[in-house]
């Protein structure tokens, strides 16, 4: 399942990122990059992943994880954590800071939506909403009370989609994405990121309204069809 899912993941990520990432950075997003990302997810027993299959082929997924502890302990409206490791062949240390614009309660009953991706070939058919419809009620049964999600500030489509599900921004941060060489210079690729929050009940209500609007729309179309046939 990982190989076809990695291909769908790659197509989705590239479509979302091509407008605001450089050609040098985009060249790093090969299929093997996404295969490695999915293997790491598969090995992470602290996350839950729901995969969307169409005709037995995986075409997208949504992943939920526990909120990092340092998110929950801001001081004077800011929290931070030092990340260390290897990235693009370089050893690095990065101090990730979160600037809270308003106070939001985050605890062990809050999950972060790490990723949600759909193959571009099947987007704009309500399948992203379907992933939430199928998973959020299960999270509520498990005692989860709220969700947060991060999205790139340049990704207007993501922002609009999450707002329609009840998410509201409450903090800002920056992601350290890659280290690239550009004309003999070492360039650090950093993204501006918004963090949004919603309660499970709020999201369920937004999903209910969207489903109701869809049913009303279909009913109106059906009535028009019958009207023409009379």
């Amino acid at each position: 399942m990982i190989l076809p899912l990695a291909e769908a993941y790659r197509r989705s990520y590239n479509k979302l990122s091509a407008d605001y990432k450089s050609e040098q950075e985009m060249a790093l997003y090969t299929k093997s990059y996404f295969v490695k990302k999915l293997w790491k997810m598969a090995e992470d027993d602290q996350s839950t992943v729901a995969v969307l299959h169409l005709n037995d082929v995986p075409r997208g997924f949504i992943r939920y994880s526990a909120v990092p502890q340092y998110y929950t302990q801001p001081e004077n409206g800011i929290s931070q954590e030092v990340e260390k490791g290897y990235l693009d062949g370089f050893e690095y240390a990065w101090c990730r800071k979160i600037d809270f614009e308003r106070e939001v309660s985050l605890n062990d009953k809050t999950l972060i939506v790490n990723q949600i991706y759909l193959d571009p070939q099947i987007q704009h058919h309500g399948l992203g909403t379907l992933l939430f419809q199928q998973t959020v009620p299960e999270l509520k049964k498990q005692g989860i009370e709220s969700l947060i999600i991060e999205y790139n500030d340049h990704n207007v489509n993501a922002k609009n989609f999450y707002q329609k599900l009840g998410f509201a921004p409450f903090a800002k941060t920056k992601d350290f994405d890659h280290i690239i060489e550009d004309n003999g210079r070492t360039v650090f690729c950093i993204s501006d990121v918004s963090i949004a929050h919603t309660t499970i009940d709020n999201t369920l209500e937004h999903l209910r309204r969207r489903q109701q609007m869809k049913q009303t729309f279909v009913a109106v179309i059906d009535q028009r069809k019958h009207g023409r046939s009379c």
Side-chain angles (χ1 to χ4, degrees):
M1 182 174 69
I2 281 185
L3 291 178
L5 187 59
E7 185 58 37
Y9 188 7
R10 182 188 67 81
R11 285 194 292 263
S12 178
Y13 191 92
N14 286 355
K15 180 180 179 181
L16 290 171
S17 305
D19 290 339
Y20 53 83
K21 290 183 180 286
S22 67
E23 292 184 6
Q24 296 96 322
E25 191 174 0
M26 290 301 298
L28 298 172
Y29 297 116
T30 62
K31 185 174 180 178
S32 63
Y33 172 87
F34 293 101
V35 170
K36 292 176 182 177
K37 295 267 287 186
L38 289 175
W39 273 118
K40 287 186 68 175
M41 290 182 204
E43 295 168 351
D44 181 6
D45 59 5
Q46 301 300 310
S47 295
T48 298
V49 180
V51 179
L52 175 72
H53 289 77
L54 291 179
N55 299 321
D56 296 325
V57 178
R59 304 295 297 275
F61 68 94
I62 188 170
R63 177 190 175 208
Y64 298 95
S65 297
V67 174
Q69 187 175 7
Y70 72 94
Y71 276 51
T72 67
Q73 301 172 338
E75 295 183 10
N76 298 321
I78 296 177
S79 69
Q80 60 186 34
E81 176 79 351
V82 176
E83 301 174 355
K84 298 180 181 180
Y86 289 89
L87 182 66
D88 304 324
F90 295 86
E91 185 176 6
Y92 78 98
W94 163 257
C95 183
R96 190 166 194 254
K97 298 180 180 180
I98 299 177
D99 185 3
F100 290 82
E101 299 175 342
R102 60 186 175 89
E103 186 174 343
V104 171
S105 177
L106 305 176
N107 51 40
D108 60 359
K109 294 183 180 180
T110 304
L111 294 181
I112 182 170
V113 185
N114 295 100
Q115 287 103 355
I116 174 169
Y117 287 100
L118 285 177
D119 194 323
Q121 298 171 353
I122 61 168
Q123 290 178 8
H124 308 299
H125 295 287
L127 296 175
T129 301
L130 178 64
L131 279 172
F132 277 97
Q133 288 174 329
Q134 295 296 313
T135 55
V136 173
E138 294 301 316
L139 297 178
K140 183 176 175 65
K141 291 178 184 178
Q142 296 171 19
I144 301 303
E145 296 179 352
S146 61
L147 300 171
I148 65 171
I149 195 163
E150 299 181 357
Y151 57 87
N152 191 294
D153 283 350
H154 295 283
N155 193 341
V156 178
N157 289 333
K159 175 183 177 181
N160 292 338
F161 175 69
Y162 300 137
Q163 285 183 341
K164 290 177 182 177
L165 294 176
F167 286 90
F170 71 96
K172 293 282 190 180
T173 187
K174 291 181 182 292
D175 273 351
F176 183 30
D177 297 324
H178 289 286
I179 305 172
I180 61 175
E181 296 287 346
D182 184 18
N183 295 322
R185 299 183 302 114
T186 301
V187 178
F188 300 94
C189 303
I190 298 173
S191 301
D192 292 319
V193 173
S194 289
I195 310 175
H197 172 270
T198 186
T199 65
I200 287 288
D201 289 339
N202 187 38
T203 297
L204 288 172
E205 177 61 20
H206 277 74
L207 290 169
R208 185 191 66 79
R209 291 176 186 173
R210 287 172 68 87
Q211 183 65 23
Q212 189 176 49
M213 289 176 60
K214 179 180 178 181
Q215 291 173 346
T216 301
F217 179 76
V218 171
V220 169
I221 295 297
D222 188 57
Q223 288 175 1
R224 289 176 178 174
K225 287 182 178 179
H226 286 294
R228 285 197 297 268
S229 63
C230 294

